[in-house]
């Protein structure tokens, strides 16, 4: 093709659209604008069909979340304005057996405990098989989610309906959830005081860590400092990752945290880890579109008493970071448990998982508090 084919006077020129306005807008772009409209932000432009679906969805939530202005606060009267339910924590997600992609799944949920404004919901993922059609032993995964109720107008905590457990099973579930709630409240108060026995455990943990710091040549080669197991990742949160409230979806944050935790356990063990459970997740503050999110992980502790199923507990902490104001706040904390399958260890002669030891009192406290919390929820 010769250069003459690109004659600028040709009527068949390719149209060029401004990046400051939608190519489908009939009105000319504002010459004074220096910012792209929302329709052209990453992940924000949709086809006409997608736009129609989003508009229909928005109208549904507007009806649900926009009660009459004179509606009273939430109570037992059905005329009161509705509540907003926000995920506060995930207490346990336990994978009991492998889930097959070619077998139908059934998810069953029930409220097992309520506080003043908190609700704990237990979920079971059931995978039925031909050999076990009654479903008694077909639970493949269990999970416990904690939600908090907020007034849709003021955003403050709102009371929820009471729960009356009747059967022995329901009462046991209620009492166990009550204990977990009390533990969460203790954690929110701040650093708790250790009793004499806990102080001794703390000193034992710190003693081995001091050898690594002060006399590394004499340190136990079957142990490793917690700080030497760390990995880190970061991302900018995008609009396509938001939920119906405009915040970043908690499931997306859990996915990114799990990927980093899996990588941390992989690098630590030297073999592909096998996922056991999500021990606990705290949603401490919302994450917004455009936030700079930093994820840091470490192996918090290991349990080696069972050689066939050694336990690797990984902690991931998410920080919303704002360099322009030199601010970094914890938005989420995640705890995952992994193991290494016996057949994988058998292929690697001399395989051994190290014990993790803290170098500081703050690290030692985190280890003990997580161990005690895991023991309480077993």
């Amino acid at each position: 093709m010769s250069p003459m084919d690109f004659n600028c006077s040709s009527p068949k020129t390719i149209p060029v659209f401004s990046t400051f306005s939608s190519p489908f807008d009939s009105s000319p772009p504002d010459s004074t604008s220096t910012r792209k409209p929302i329709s052209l932000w990453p992940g924000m432009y949709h086809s006409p069909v997608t736009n129609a679906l989003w508009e229909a969805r928005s109208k549904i939530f507007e009806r649900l979340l926009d009660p009459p202005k004179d509606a009273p606060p939430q109570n037992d009267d059905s005329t009161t304005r509705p509540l907003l339910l926000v995920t506060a924590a995930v207490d346990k997600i336990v994978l009991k057996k492998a889930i097959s992609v070619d077998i139908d799944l059934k998810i069953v949920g029930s409220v097992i405990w309520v506080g003043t404004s908190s609700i704990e919901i237990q979920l079971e993922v059931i995978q039925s098989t031909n050999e076990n059609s009654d479903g008694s032993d077909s639970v493949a995964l269990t999970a416990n989610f904690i939600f908090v109720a907020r007034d849709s107008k003021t955003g403050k905590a709102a009371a929820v309906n009471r729960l009356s457990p009747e059967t022995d099973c329901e009462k046991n579930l209620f009492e166990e959830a009550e204990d977990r709630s009390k533990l969460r409240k203790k954690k929110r108060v701040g650093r708790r005081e250790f009793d004499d026995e806990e102080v001794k455990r703390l000193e034992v943990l710190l003693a081995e860590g001091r050898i690594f710091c002060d006399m590394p040549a004499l340190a136990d080669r079957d142990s490793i400092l917690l700080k030497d197991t760390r990995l880190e990742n970061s991302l900018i949160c995008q609009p396509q990752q938001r939920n119906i409230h405009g915040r970043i979806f908690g499931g997306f944050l859990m996915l990114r945290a799990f990927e980093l935790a899996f990588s941390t356990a992989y690098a630590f063990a030297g073999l592909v880890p096998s996922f056991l459970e999500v021990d606990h997740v705290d949603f401490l503050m919302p994450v917004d579109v455009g936030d700079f999110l930093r994820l840091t992980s470490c192996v918090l502790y290991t349990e080696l008493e069972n050689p066939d199923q050694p336990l690797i507990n990984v902690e991931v902490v998410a920080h919303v970071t704002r360099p322009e104001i030199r601010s970094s706040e914890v938005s989420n904390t995640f705890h995952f448990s992994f193991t290494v399958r016996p057949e994988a260890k058998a292929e690697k002669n001399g395989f051994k998982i190290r014990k993790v030891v803290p170098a500081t009192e703050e690290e030692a406290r985190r280890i003990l508090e997580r161990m005690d919390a895991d023991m309480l929820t077993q």
Side-chain angles (χ1 to χ4, degrees), residues 18-23 25 33-47 51 54 236-242 246 248 288-291:
S18 168
T19 58
F20 297 110
S21 63
S22 170
D25 290 340
S33 175
T34 59
R35 186 177 182 183
K36 288 186 290 186
I38 292 179
S39 62
L40 287 182
W41 287 9
M44 294 294 285
Y45 176 72
H46 303 293
S47 69
N51 282 332
W54 273 102
I236 302 296
C237 299
Q238 301 297 324
Q240 62 267 31
Q241 298 149 4
R242 60 184 178 165
I248 298 302
D288 290 319
V289 173
D291 277 349

Side-chain angles (χ1 to χ4, degrees), residues 94-113:
V94 182
L95 184 64
K96 296 183 175 293
K97 65 179 182 179
I99 297 178
S100 302
V101 297
D102 58 346
I103 299 178
D104 291 341
L105 299 175
K106 180 173 68 173
I107 302 178
V108 179
S110 59
V111 177
I112 63 170
W113 173 86

Side-chain angles (χ1 to χ4, degrees), residues 85-142:
L85 291 177
V86 181
T87 308
V90 180
D91 202 63
K92 279 279 187 183
I93 300 180
V94 182
L95 184 64
K96 296 183 175 293
K97 65 179 182 179
I99 297 178
S100 302
V101 297
D102 58 346
I103 299 178
D104 291 341
L105 299 175
K106 180 173 68 173
I107 302 178
V108 179
S110 59
V111 177
I112 63 170
W113 173 86
V114 295
T116 303
S117 61
S118 303
I119 303 172
E120 181 163 339
I121 297 175
Q122 185 175 81
L123 301 174
E124 290 185 341
V125 178
I126 299 172
Q127 180 176 252
S128 298
T129 61
N130 293 331
E131 295 80 8
N132 183 28
S133 58
D134 61 355
S136 59
D137 297 319
S138 60
V139 176
L141 183 145
T142 61

Side-chain angles (χ1 to χ4, degrees), residues 10 25 95 98 144 178 189 198 205 225 285 313:
S10 172
D25 290 340
L95 184 64
N144 287 56
E178 181 76 24
V189 170
E198 290 173 321
L205 281 175
L225 285 176
M285 62 176 288
N313 186 281

